[in-house]
Amino acid sequence: MINQHYLDMLGHKSVIRELSEYATARGEEIGYENVFDYSLGNPSVPAPTAFTDTAIRLLQTEEPVKLHGYSPSLGLPGVKAKIAASLTRRFGIPYTPEHIFPTSGCAGAIAHALRAVTKPGDDVLVFAPFFPEYGPYINDTGAHMQIVPAKAPAFQVNFDALEDMLTPNVAAVLVNSPNNPSGIVYSEETLERLAAILTEKSKAFGHNIFLISDEPYREIAYDGKTVPYPAKFYPHTLTCYSFSKSLSVPGERIGYVAVNPLCEAADKLVPMMGQISRGIGHNCPSSLIQLAAAEAVDETADLSVYETNMNLLYDTFQELGFRVQRPGGTFYIMPKALEEDAGAFCRKALKYDLIFVPCEGFHAPGYFRVAYCIDTEKVKRSLPVIRTFVEKEYPNR
Amino acid sequence: MINQHYLDMLGHKSVIRELSEYATARGEEIGYENVFDYSLGNPSVPAPTAFTDTAIRLLQTEEPVKLHGYSPSLGLPGVKAKIAASLTRRFGIPYTPEHIFPTSGCAGAIAHALRAVTKPGDDVLVFAPFFPEYGPYINDTGAHMQIVPAKAPAFQVNFDALEDMLTPNVAAVLVNSPNNPSGIVYSEETLERLAAILTEKSKAFGHNIFLISDEPYREIAYDGKTVPYPAKFYPHTLTCYSFSKSLSVPGERIGYVAVNPLCEAADKLVPMMGQISRGIGHNCPSSLIQLAAAEAVDETADLSVYETNMNLLYDTFQELGFRVQRPGGTFYIMPKALEEDAGAFCRKALKYDLIFVPCEGFHAPGYFRVAYCIDTEKVKRSLPVIRTFVEKEYPNR
């Protein structure tokens, strides 16, 4: 008998995917260069040569039985050492290889982190707006996702709501800075206050509340700034990272969990993730990909295009009178729609071949997401189109 | 609060891993060439050049944004098409790309197959002897593993026990032919009878019992034979495959589930596996590795060494009076120990630097596993050592 739960899930189509499919179909009709497809968060710059060249060199020179052999279930020691050293150098936290668990991207990292520090029935808090996949990520472990409402316009943490919702049943809090869909970066003040509250409540409840920090956009930061690193502010932090965006290799499914050495059970959590892997069929990312990513651990693709695109769009949205927060990173921006129903707003934009995503699914109703990981040339061509769309459809805005 | 279930799992050390660690430590003492390490099932022959050359060519010539881009959540269409065509050509079952779900090896394949056709509380039958990882694979889904006892000496299916144990609560049956640890291949007669019973019981219970077929050793078959393909005998079959052994790339974590087109909900199961992936953080194997494996789908590494090794060991065990079944494939053989306690037998073998694995964990007490995926030269050197061990320790056998 097939599983009814997963069968039922087939009914729910993703709005992002529907819009992206529409964009592809429309592209076949009028030429894809004429569709301003801002729907998908897919990196648009090539991987750094350090990644590609390492992979080629390994394939050409390494003994294949060794190169393609089983990785230990907790990851390749040399890979873990390089990741730990890089994090220590950059953030001043004394990670050792034993604190690093290589995973298949952030999805794999979060799957392990959640299972390590929650049990079925626990609550996990997320902050709106958030990546809709957090729903299945959390709920399919048997824990329950609870949503802390967004706080416009800055979209930092809504502390009043957080304090109300932090009950003894909360095992973990999941944050995402820089944020998909808003592009917002949590400030040091935000992280300090969040840490203070988690510390206080952990003491009050007699168990540590874990912070799971989802950081795939960490290296896409604007204005020459560095994104404040949540694990520096709170010891019980599991950092979930993916090289998908920094190295522009999302299809290679490579990332890691970094367990803060000051965390409760810091020496147990990575071995526990090895046990978790057995049940969910994870069993390490590809050895070749682990090795190539580790060699490029301190590099990134040329990410400057995203800042260029952001500035062009932010200025245009500002100028047209949108309420919009300037992103601190990612390749997203999330303006407020010009009517209450962001879905209706995005449908009107389609008439101009502008593909925007309404943010209901991200729990930010009334807003829309613009994923500007596309060529700057296309962004520039889209600006007068956005202007025409807004002036024609919303003359009295 | 960390998860007690996974914490408790840390206490149980794998016998195979302990023996393998012992072998490595002993190797550092006396030289690894002097340790006859038959503990681990790790392929020992190089990957075919079709795999390596394809990976290099793709890295050198493909547009990196395309090559390393997100794979659709149900896998790369071209990869699925090549796998489907190969299976159709070889086994005469009309698979199309929609029936193929690429996974991170067999572990990933079984994780998806189990969740698609069982729900928590269901029973899943396995046949002793079996790979000990089936325990966490099954039990961590919330279903319950039930063990059909082995039937020595041939280790085909124990049909009497099976008929007793096939209750209405059984959602799926998991088979593994060629078998780890015995090397036994299920005959056509076995698969026919198994299919007849499953069909009859499915009808009686009013729901289809699924057959999950774990086939990582399918291409390592001896005497020029082909391993009978379970899906040909029973429509409701999910075939779980890994390229780990056929292409000698276990660290690259690449395999698939093939859904029999005649199966219940054949058009739904792969999309359901896409939904399952969201909850367990799987999200497709590496794009590069998918492409390289698909290019080599009809090739294998030079697997002949395993048959050579098997014949040397089988003849020696026979000659020394062991009760042992000749393997039809894999790189394992499972003789009966010369005393009731196979653990004691294997401990005595350690004195001769022979590393054998007692089969208690595989639910074949009294037997031991010999993983002969090592150089033939070493196998040859081990034969007189095995003889000495047996003659000295068991003179009156």
Side-chain angles (χ1 to χ4, degrees), chain A residues 108-239:
Chain A
I110 295 172
H112 287 86
L114 282 169
R115 285 165 175 81
V117 298
T118 73
K119 60 180 191 310
D122 285 349
D123 285 334
V124 176
L125 300 188
V126 301
F127 298 92
F130 62 90
F131 182 43
E133 287 299 293
Y134 288 175
Y137 286 2
I138 294 168
N139 294 329
D140 280 11
T141 69
H144 303 299
M145 180 172 79
Q146 306 290 355
I147 301 166
V148 181
K151 193 170 178 190
F155 296 106
Q156 297 286 317
V157 169
N158 183 337
F159 284 107
D160 292 339
L162 172 65
E163 298 221 38
D164 285 349
M165 294 180 70
L166 262 177
T167 70
N169 202 43
V170 174
V173 169
L174 175 54
V175 293
N176 172 225
S177 165
N179 178 267
N180 173 10
S182 69
I184 293 304
V185 171
Y186 281 176
S187 67
E188 298 205 347
E189 295 67 41
T190 293
L191 292 173
E192 270 164 16
R193 193 165 161 197
L194 177 61
I197 293 173
L198 293 179
T199 302
E200 182 204 312
K201 296 281 186 181
S202 292
K203 199 175 282 179
F205 301 153
H207 66 83
N208 290 311
I209 301 163
F210 276 81
L211 181 63
I212 300 177
S213 178
D214 177 26
E215 307 182 7
Y217 301 99
R218 186 172 68 209
E219 315 311 343
I220 311 180
Y222 300 149
D223 306 314
K225 290 188 185 158
T226 300
V227 172
Y229 186 65
K232 276 190 78 164
F233 296 81
Y234 186 65
H236 310 293
T237 301
L238 306 181
T239 301

Side-chain angles (χ1 to χ4, degrees), chain A residues 315-361:
Chain A
D315 290 348
T316 300
F317 284 125
Q318 275 278 59
E319 218 181 299
L320 289 169
F322 282 82
R323 284 173 54 185
V324 59
Q325 193 73 8
R326 189 166 182 275
T330 73
F331 37 57
Y332 307 110
I333 188 168
M334 188 181 80
K336 198 164 194 329
L338 295 176
E339 59 183 294
E340 219 176 287
D341 180 353
F345 174 87
C346 292
R347 277 193 297 280
K348 283 179 193 155
L350 286 183
K351 289 194 277 176
Y352 301 80
D353 294 312
L354 293 164
I355 321 288
F356 299 145
V357 173
C359 283
E360 268 77 1

Side-chain angles (χ1 to χ4, degrees), chain A residues 1-3 6-7 9-10 41-47 51-52 55-56 59-60 64-65 67-70 104 107-108 111 115-119 133 136-137 140 207-208 210 245 248-253 264-265 268-269 271-272 275-276 278-289, chain B residues 1-3 6-7 9-10 41-47 51-52 55-56 59-60 64-65 67-70 104 107-108 111 115-119 133 136-137 140 207-208 210 245 248-253 264-265 268-269 271-272 275-276 278-289:
Chain A
M1 213 158 20
I2 64 173
N3 182 301
Y6 296 115
L7 185 64
M9 283 173 83
L10 295 183
N42 220 341
S44 59
V45 292
F51 179 87
T52 311
I56 294 172
L59 287 161
Q60 285 175 335
V65 170
L67 176 62
H68 303 302
Y70 277 114
S104 59
R115 285 165 175 81
V117 298
T118 73
K119 60 180 191 310
E133 287 299 293
Y137 286 2
D140 280 11
H207 66 83
N208 290 311
F210 276 81
K245 278 78 181 183
S248 262
V249 293
E252 303 309 343
R253 313 304 308 137
E264 176 189 345
K268 297 278 193 305
L269 284 163
M272 283 169 65
Q275 298 299 327
I276 291 164
R278 299 167 72 191
I280 61 177
H282 179 272
N283 289 47
C284 272
S286 149
S287 294
L288 176 68
I289 302 298
Chain B
M1 213 156 22
I2 63 173
N3 182 301
Y6 296 113
L7 186 64
M9 284 174 84
L10 294 184
N42 220 341
S44 58
V45 292
F51 179 88
T52 311
I56 294 171
L59 286 161
Q60 285 176 335
V65 171
L67 176 62
H68 304 302
Y70 277 114
S104 58
R115 285 165 175 80
V117 298
T118 73
K119 60 180 190 309
E133 287 300 292
Y137 286 1
D140 279 11
H207 66 83
N208 290 311
F210 275 82
K245 278 79 181 182
S248 262
V249 293
E252 303 309 345
R253 314 303 309 137
E264 177 189 345
K268 298 277 193 306
L269 284 163
M272 282 169 66
Q275 298 298 326
I276 291 165
R278 300 167 72 191
I280 61 177
H282 178 272
N283 289 47
C284 272
S286 149
S287 295
L288 176 67
I289 302 298

Side-chain angles (χ1 to χ4, degrees), chain B residues 39-62:
Chain B
S39 66
L40 274 191
N42 220 341
S44 58
V45 292
T49 51
F51 179 88
T52 311
D53 292 352
T54 300
I56 294 171
R57 178 177 54 76
L58 290 169
L59 286 161
Q60 285 176 335
T61 63
E62 272 287 310

